Amino acid sequence: MKTSNFLLFFAIYGFIAGGMMLFNANGSLVNYGIQPIDQFHIVILQYLGLVNITVGLLIFLLRNEQSEKVINAILLYGLITCVGSFLKACYDIFLKDVPSNTFFWVDMSFRLLVGLVCAFFIFRANKTNEQPLFS
């Protein structure tokens, strides 16, 4: 798979996840098992959805960028965000006893997969060019 194709997929994922958070915050909170749902949860999730949509738009617009630094920065963002959110979820569930559900684990596993694919593309690009990630 070409890096630009993966970035297109990553942008679409950002649009879908962000759109669900922004336009269906109540339903998203129900899927994650948040009870009771109040206006503060909804507003915070909508702000996060707007951020996801904005980042998805930036990734979409920059997916065919020729600069390796730009592509590596996008992939590094994906790696840190996706793997970091998985690790934070594990911390919350196993050490803080935050309740989880099946949807939550499916979502977190998918994020981990996306983050690991970002890592794959970072290392593949750097291996073929034999230069540091950021120089």
Side-chain angles (χ1 to χ4, degrees), residues 21-22 40-52:
M21 295 166 82
L22 180 62
F40 301 109
H41 281 97
I42 291 172
V43 169
I44 290 171
L45 199 65
Q46 288 174 332
Y47 282 118
L48 293 172
L50 186 58
V51 170
N52 277 353

Side-chain angles (χ1 to χ4, degrees), residues 46-94:
Q46 288 174 332
Y47 282 118
L48 293 172
L50 186 58
V51 170
N52 277 353
I53 291 171
T54 304
V55 171
L57 179 62
L58 288 173
I59 293 170
F60 177 76
L61 294 174
L62 297 172
R63 72 188 185 284
N64 292 320
E65 177 66 35
Q66 298 301 314
S67 169
E68 291 179 29
K69 286 185 179 183
V70 171
I71 299 300
N72 280 339
I74 292 170
L75 292 169
L76 187 61
Y77 158 80
L79 171 64
I80 292 169
T81 303
C82 293
V83 174
S85 66
F86 177 81
L87 294 174
K88 172 72 168 97
C90 289
Y91 170 79
D92 289 340
I93 290 167
F94 296 121

